[in-house]
Amino acid sequence: FADWNLTWHTENPDFTPCFQNTVLVWIPCIYLWVCFPVYFLYLRCHDRGYIQMSNLNKAKTALGLILWIVCWADLFYSFWERSQNIFQAPFFLVRPTVLGITMLLATFLIQYERIKGVQSSGVMTIFWLISLLCAVVVFRSKIINALNTDEVDAFRYATFCIYFILLLVQLILCCFPERPPLFSETVNDPNPCPEFSASFLSRITFWWITGLMVQGYRRPLEAKDLWSLNKEDKSEEIVPGLARNWAKEWAKTKRQPLNMLYSPKKQQKSSSSSGDVTEEAEALIIKPSQKSSEASLFKVLYKTFGPYFLMSFLFKAAHDLLMFAGPEILKLLINFVNNKAAPNWQGYFYTGLLFVCACLQTLILHQYFHICFVTGMRLKTAIVGVIYRKALVITNSARKTSTVGEIVNLMSVDAQRFMDLATYINMIWSAPLQVILALYLLWQNLGPSVLAGVAVMILLVPINAVMAMKTKTYQVAQMKSKDNRIKLMNEILNGIKVLKLYAWELAFREKVLEIRQKELKVLKKSAYLAAMATFTWVCAPFLVALSTFAVYVTIDKNNVLDAQKAFVSLALFNILRFPLNMLPMVISSIVEASVSLKRLRVFLSHEELDPDSIIRGPITDAEGCIVVKNATFSWSKNDPPSLNSINFTVPEGSLVAVVGQVGCGKSSLLSALLGEMDKKEGYVVVKGSVAYVPQQAWVQNATLEDNIIFGREMNESRYKRVIEACALLPDIEILPTGDKTEIGEKGVNLSGGQKQRVSLARAVYCNADVYLFDDPLSAVDAHVGKHIFEKVIGPKGILKNKTRVLVTHAINYLPQMDTILVMSDGEISEMGSYQELLKQDGAFAEFLRTYANAEQSVENSGNPSGKEGKPIENGALVNEAPGKLMHRQLSNSSTYSRDTGKTQHQSSTAELQKPLAEKNSWKLTEADTAKTGRVKATVYWDYMKAIGLFISFLSIFLFMCNHIASLASNYWLSLWTDDPVINGTQQYTNVRLGVYGALGISQGIAVFGYSMVVSIGGIFASRHLHLNLLHNVLRSPMSFFERTPSGNLVNRFSKEIDTIDSTIPPIIKMFMGSTFNVIGACIIILLATPIAAVIIPPLGLVYLFVQRFYVATSRQLKRLESVSRSPVYSHFNETLLGVSVIRAFEEQKRFIKQNDVKVDENQKAYYPSIVANRWLAVRLEYVGNCIVLFAALFAVIARNKLSAGLVGLSVSYSLQITAYLNWLVRMSSELETNIVAVERVKEYAEMEKEAEWSIEQTAPASTWPKEGKVEFRGYGLRYREDLDLVLKNINVTINGGEKIGIVGRTGAGKSSLTLGLFRINEAAEGEIIIDGINIAKIGLHDLRFKITIIPQDPILFSGSLRMNLDPFDQHSDEDIWRSLELAHLKNFVSSLPDKLNHECAEGGENLSVGQRQLVCLARALLRKSKILVLDEATAAVDLETDKLIQSTIKSQFEECTVLTIAHRLNTIMDYTRVLVLDRGEVVECGSPDHLLQEKGIFYSMAKDSGLV
């Protein structure tokens, strides 16, 4: 059967005929028969449709049948021989029989696959490949036989040749895919995913994505280039599966009767803030069966995704086993090199085996990763979909338990965690398996001394764990500082104008840098930790090897360290290093995912609305359109009822008003009719479709038209009528692109009244049977309200034949109602028509009598103010406290004053400015993303300069030292293993060990050194870059801030700086590390086999080409993915806000579909990026495998010149190179994506700056200005180069101590004058001279410190009150208190607990506007400069504060020059002079009395104010 002399110990190996005709025939047959049942079942379940017969298929089938005939020809030949009495061995009968049957099975499978729509089959390809390989061996031996012997079995030779050729043809045919199945989606898909139509070889090597990669290399990819998702990755396929399984699981837990007793109570408790704890406690109190009654989400996920994921389990196991083939083959190779007598072909055989193993390992590993990533992607899709669907049916009370933000987080953060976990989860069993296998093989190699190495590894695990914990605490601290810094930056950017006017930039720069200092301190600590971590991670394998070898050599003199033992052990230690480092990561990842799992489970187990509580029937002529009998409702199962025993009937087509005081349950009544509340008892019928207008309008982020049509089909005439009736025409005219205007999130670019009208139009357009209006008239002005009532809701409106229920506060519409329901305390107290209620003379009538008169008089006067008359609560209001009434009025008027306060003119200018501003900001943000393509080398150079060139080169030097030491130590090891063995021992063992240890320690020192240097360098760089950025931004002129959206700037300060702080240094470390590793490996291979120099450069070129190719596509895919991610979240956010509207209109299906589409859009970009990663990895690992192949091959060729030690060294290095190459591409593309941050931070260094802050030479004397004389000489000013002059030709001399008022209509250039005085804008012509000094010649701070302004809008910064008054700490406490006293704030501040250290909130929110204005006055009093500019507050300063400010200025600034920009003329009537500006020129100038006599512009203004 087997003869080793024939097979192995010979120059010309061969198998015995017996072996050839049994084992080599059975291998493919056994494979096919084992696969058949599994594969058959799989095909039965996964039917892709039917493929038509094609020539390819016919050829395959025909060849299969011919193969069967050939096999059985042999069989019949054997029978014929028997009849001739030639008796051959029995296998001549068995072999063709078995083969023939197998070929029939193969032919059957070819047809069955066609029927089930398989386009290219892996099972069959592998079968033909194995058969061919087995046949090749037989073929070779048959040829050798034929050459060596004379007699030949001609018939069998002929059949075998035919068999062999047919197998080859079958294999080649198998590489071509079939055409797509009939009726498949791909036919009508514009851009189908090529994956399923690709052949098997193309799929395992990921060749099918190459088309996309080429496209991405030629030009940046766009969304339209992406393929559609595969059917089984789409939301509509995945989500229902998970939803079904979850529903089953949930139903199981609900069935248990015991659970029902306490479930509601528990539900509520767990929703409180201390959710987890109470839940636990609850679980302990109640009987043990509780545990089983929790629906297990894990089980459900496993059920849904388990089967597909199981495949990954098999792949991973196969890969882990193959991983250990490398070291074992290495062992054989070293033995081969040592054994000079071994025949040459064995070396080539080992080399081939090594290469094949490596390639298989690559293919299997990446199939495994592909499955994991796709599972992760499906998991995310499913979880997002399930959360979305749940959010649409969850009760209001349950929704209150978690904020919108939290629910969106479930979708973003938690779903992402599952996605990340899917790739790791197999490590839980695979890591221990790898460790055990490695230890077993090491034990065989080195015996018990392995334990020393293991001990070192185990010791390092807790050290790593401790470091990870510490890092986490540092991270939290750093985040805290970062948040504070960003908050402060936000304020600085919002209040930048005030900072510039007061020249306070430096003070605030110091504040930011102080926080930054704290942050960098923490960063430094974590940098030291990171250095320690790198040190342990790089030195661990070395320490392990050192301790093991040391123990091994010193235990026993006869323990010889030869090449085989040393290098095989090293290879195994390298394998060990990965699982040990991964385990802590995996465990923390699992812990995070389990937390997420729990949060998801709690959310998915919330109560759902009962769809049957309200009977929604079609319209029949029963008692009425809405019938409510004895109904009691509450907001959730365990709340007390909010509506008690409600009885009423609304006949079809009537108009019903619901009135009552605040909080009496009017809105609740509508919610109850919509089925949003929990019905305790009673009977409710609503007939026909329902439309609902909520109190707070809900507007989607879509065009105005989409908002109104809301998923119905478009009907032009109806649409026009609706818009007209809802008074939307004027608004549409104002909007930039009419009703196609995109409306921002939450309707930001609409006023409150417009939103309300859009919401109303949506309801009217949908043409329902029942209309529920929740006070839609409160948010609009009176005349618009009247219009809407007449045209829409009232008896003559569009809806006059529908059933309408209107909750309202407006009394004047009540007489036109059919019925009025008066509610109080959740019950209907009275009901009837207007006349009946008056006749009943109840509370309602009383109330009407009191208020109707007041209403009437307002109506008659023609309502000049344009606001509604007092919006009054009706119902039993008479006995309500007046305070409450006042409150309600306020809340109402404040909602609608926004609508009226803007006159047509103003709002239109605002609208006109908006597109301009939008264009501008759009241009800027455009510039943000436009930086595609390669990163310029200058950016890296900039970063090196930021680190400091000395440190940069030091770190590179240390990197080199480390790698040289590492190479030297391994080279030394190879020399050691080549020491001759004398009497079973080696000489010099101690010297060898000592030097090895010393080299290792120096390597460790170098690692620690470069880790520290890079980390510290990184901190230097981030300090330097942040300082520059801050300085440059503060030095930018005002125009820059008006142009740049503050979001962009804040982004630079948060995201980019964060990247520079904490992402770039570790990436640089890993990048350098892997670069040097690869170079080192190449050097070692070249040392051992110099001939490899021929092969390494071409491989290097291939490598570079692949890498460049990949980075272009991957960068763009990453961008597309993040761009398409935000719509998912914002759509979800919107849905949560408008969920009751969506339910009322019964639009859930459409919204679910929208969400699915958005998720799929996102995954469409994510899927190619996963595959691109796999594509890259397979290509690179093949480059690596080629290096392994050549290293081994050249070693075998040169075996007589080489020592075993060098062979071991070069092959063990080349085995690692694949991992390094992979890592290197990862890191270089990471580095490229992240270094962009440096570029974006540097961008602002090149921006235009303001003038210098202070100039030594021209600095005026410290006492300047002495008298405060201001002269404007031919002064002109423009805002931007390309705009006209806003001020022209101004010649005015203001003497010291004069009080000047500046007046003029809006836009006359009053504020521009002050901007010029402070040089916020530099002069376009002419000059301003203060006390003989031209202000354009001195530093900005020198100027701005000497003039004081009290700005229009009082801006305070968060910080102490003292800091707001005196940020530079120049004044004593007495001074500050005195200024506060003069500003009338002393009493207020003394009453505060912290006095001067009272913390002001952001923007001074915790002080009233008047108080803020007074704080600004106190600032001015504290500075006490000769020139004071007063930009009079148009804002809400009450008259009292105004009087205080005026009197203080009169008394305190008596000898100062005061310029007041006046809006209210009465304040400046006693000033010395008044300047009247018009269109940027001075038209009148003189004392107020003089100007009044001239009867010019000033006179007409005074007349308007009623002063004349």
Side-chain angles (χ1 to χ4, degrees), residues 814-843:
L814 293 182
Q816 304 177 36
M817 300 291 172
D818 300 336
T819 322
I820 298 172
L821 301 180
V822 184
M823 297 197 67
S824 62
D825 296 335
E827 293 181 6
I828 294 179
S829 58
E830 302 181 88
M831 122 182 216
S833 69
Y834 187 74
Q835 301 303 331
E836 286 166 20
L837 288 180
L838 280 179
K839 281 203 190 78
Q840 281 180 16
D841 217 15

Side-chain angles (χ1 to χ4, degrees), residues 1261-1296:
S1262 57
T1263 55
W1264 174 89
K1266 272 218 169 106
E1267 49 173 327
K1269 178 179 178 187
V1270 184
E1271 296 177 62
F1272 289 90
R1273 296 186 184 166
Y1275 186 74
L1277 173 80
R1278 57 163 60 101
Y1279 279 120
R1280 276 215 314 268
E1281 314 299 82
D1282 47 349
L1283 296 178
D1284 297 337
L1285 291 170
V1286 250
L1287 292 177
K1288 24 190 187 289
N1289 192 15
I1290 294 194
N1291 289 298
V1292 178
T1293 305
I1294 298 167
N1295 298 315

Side-chain angles (χ1 to χ4, degrees), residues 1086-1102:
L1086 288 174
L1087 274 179
T1089 51
I1091 192 176
V1094 181
I1095 215 71
I1096 283 179
L1099 282 176
L1101 283 175
V1102 170

Side-chain angles (χ1 to χ4, degrees), residues 967-977 991-992 995-996 999:
L967 292 181
S969 65
N970 283 331
Y971 187 64
W972 182 262
L973 186 64
S974 83
L975 293 177
W976 178 2
T977 59
V991 179
R992 292 291 191 192
V995 173
Y996 187 59
L999 280 169

Side-chain angles (χ1 to χ4, degrees), residues 880-888:
E880 198 182 339
K884 223 172 177 183
L885 171 71
M886 182 65 203
H887 175 80
R888 179 60 176 212

Side-chain angles (χ1 to χ4, degrees), residues 1338-1399:
I1338 58 176
L1340 286 180
H1341 280 185
D1342 298 338
L1343 166 70
R1344 290 173 187 169
F1345 268 127
K1346 303 296 185 174
I1347 320 178
T1348 310
I1349 186 169
I1350 301 182
Q1352 223 177 10
D1353 29 353
I1355 291 188
L1356 300 189
F1357 298 95
S1358 56
S1360 65
L1361 198 58
R1362 185 189 171 118
M1363 191 239 38
N1364 267 301
L1365 292 169
D1366 174 29
F1368 289 100
D1369 275 339
Q1370 296 165 329
H1371 301 275
S1372 62
D1373 276 12
E1374 289 83 74
D1375 290 349
I1376 292 178
W1377 277 110
R1378 202 168 71 251
S1379 70
L1380 283 175
E1381 185 174 4
L1382 294 170
H1384 310 280
L1385 276 171
K1386 188 173 181 182
N1387 296 344
F1388 167 68
V1389 178
S1390 335
S1391 68
L1392 297 170
D1394 301 334
K1395 310 267 191 301
L1396 281 180
N1397 295 327
H1398 173 68
E1399 276 298 313

Side-chain angles (χ1 to χ4, degrees), residues 895-965:
T895 50
Y896 66 67
S897 64
R898 278 186 51 189
D899 223 30
T900 47
K902 274 188 181 176
T903 56
Q904 279 291 313
H905 163 74
Q906 270 175 319
S907 56
S908 63
T909 52
E911 292 296 347
L912 283 174
Q913 283 162 3
K914 193 183 292 128
L916 232 171
E918 264 167 13
K919 254 194 214 131
N920 235 326
S921 67
W922 175 80
K923 266 215 308 260
L924 270 169
T925 45
E926 177 66 15
D928 268 4
T929 49
K931 300 248 151 112
T932 51
R934 297 288 307 272
V935 177
K936 297 186 203 64
T938 50
V939 178
Y940 295 102
W941 183 241
D942 279 339
Y943 187 69
M944 279 174 76
K945 280 194 296 201
I947 292 179
L949 293 181
F950 171 68
I951 289 188
S952 306
F953 289 115
L954 176 66
S955 64
I956 292 174
F957 172 71
L958 283 170
F959 259 111
M960 301 205 17
C961 291
N962 162 42
H963 282 89
I964 290 167

